[in-house]
Amino acid sequence: QVQLVESGGGLVQAGGSLRLSCAASGRSFSSYVMGWFRQAPGKEREFVAVISRSGGTTYYADSVKGRFTISRDNAKNTVYLQMNSLKPEDTAAYYCAADSSYTIRTTSRTYDYWGQGTQVTVSS
């Protein structure tokens, strides 16, 4: 079992940057595919980015491709989401999630563990 805690959210002006971190506690962090999801008020939770267990493969939602970068440091049991060129439509609660499967997935229901979320608000 893994416990996930996100941090790094906040209020930022459009065009700015934030770096989210997700710290994991528990066993075998490197055994999990890690993903980021977000949910805006009144909207369904949507996929943002995912990274393979070793960090060698990443996949992004079209809406963030080229602006966001997911990475992980298995030695630190941490996954990151670097968010650049932020837009007001990026405003949402961002959630880190862990998937025990061996392949990367973009559907939230496939993930086994979730953090509590961190709020990102982008002003125009």
Side-chain angles (χ1 to χ4, degrees):
Q1 184 166 307
V2 176
Q3 183 176 3
L4 305 173
V5 180
E6 302 97 332
S7 62
L11 176 64
V12 65
Q13 193 174 114
S17 298
L18 284 173
R19 188 193 192 199
L20 305 184
S21 297
C22 174
S25 62
R27 296 180 178 179
S28 302
F29 173 75
S30 62
S31 296
Y32 294 91
V33 169
M34 299 297 298
W36 286 97
F37 295 79
R38 66 187 183 186
Q39 187 168 23
K43 303 292 185 180
E44 295 182 351
R45 185 170 297 183
E46 66 173 346
F47 165 78
V48 175
V50 63
I51 188 166
S52 62
R53 298 159 71 198
S54 67
T57 302
T58 58
Y59 183 77
Y60 300 89
D62 288 342
S63 59
V64 307
K65 196 172 298 180
R67 300 187 297 120
F68 291 11
T69 302
I70 187 171
S71 62
R72 68 190 297 164
D73 187 338
N74 288 345
K76 296 181 178 180
N77 283 12
T78 304
V79 63
Y80 306 94
L81 185 68
Q82 178 67 47
M83 305 184 295
N84 298 325
S85 301
L86 283 162
K87 305 174 181 179
E89 50 262 46
D90 294 319
T91 296
Y94 283 71
Y95 297 88
C96 176
D99 184 355
S100 60
S101 70
Y102 290 97
T103 57
I104 60 173
R105 304 183 188 277
T106 61
T107 303
S108 61
R109 73 174 73 94
T110 68
Y111 285 75
D112 302 296
Y113 306 104
W114 293 83
Q116 82 289 344
T118 185
Q119 180 67 37
V120 172
T121 302
V122 184
S123 65
S124 58

